[in-house]
Amino acid sequence: MITASVAFPLYHLLAKKMSSKQAWIIAGLISAILFGLMHLKIYHGNLYQCIVVIGLTRLPFNYAWRKTNSLWGGIIGHIIYDLVIFIPAMFIV
């Protein structure tokens, strides 16, 4: 929801000046990077971890929003991603 609150208004602003596809790419990148930067304190200022690992991994979820024309596309994608990561980790003790 945080990423969407940045991406959607930015997209609508940019779409007035460029194509819809370009506006979505730029809005998605900027919102993903800002989302990653929100994690700076958690990762002790490690910009690579925040921008590349956390921020840019948002892009597939942003893509799912765009393709489904609904936030649910990104939400369901994120839930599946979390399950794939966390369920195996729960059995490694």
Side-chain angles (χ1 to χ4, degrees):
M1 297 304 279
I2 293 169
T3 307
S5 68
V6 172
F8 289 141
L10 186 57
Y11 164 76
H12 287 291
L13 179 70
L14 292 171
K16 295 176 185 174
K17 301 177 190 272
M18 59 186 65
S19 75
S20 176
K21 185 177 181 177
Q22 290 173 324
W24 182 254
I25 290 169
I26 292 170
L29 280 171
I30 290 171
S31 65
I33 290 169
L34 289 175
F35 178 78
L37 290 174
M38 289 173 41
H39 293 80
L40 270 174
K41 187 174 180 179
I42 296 167
Y43 291 101
H44 307 291
N46 185 334
L47 282 173
Y48 178 82
Q49 176 75 24
C50 292
I51 294 173
V52 176
V53 178
I54 302 298
L56 295 183
T57 55
R58 286 279 331 145
L59 293 178
F61 306 128
N62 291 359
Y63 180 76
W65 294 349
R66 182 75 171 157
K67 292 306 274 183
T68 62
N69 199 27
S70 170
L71 284 177
W72 281 109
I75 291 168
I76 292 169
H78 197 294
I79 290 169
I80 292 169
Y81 175 80
D82 286 348
L83 290 174
V84 167
I85 297 297
F86 291 124
I87 287 178
M90 289 172 30
F91 294 107
I92 300 173
V93 179

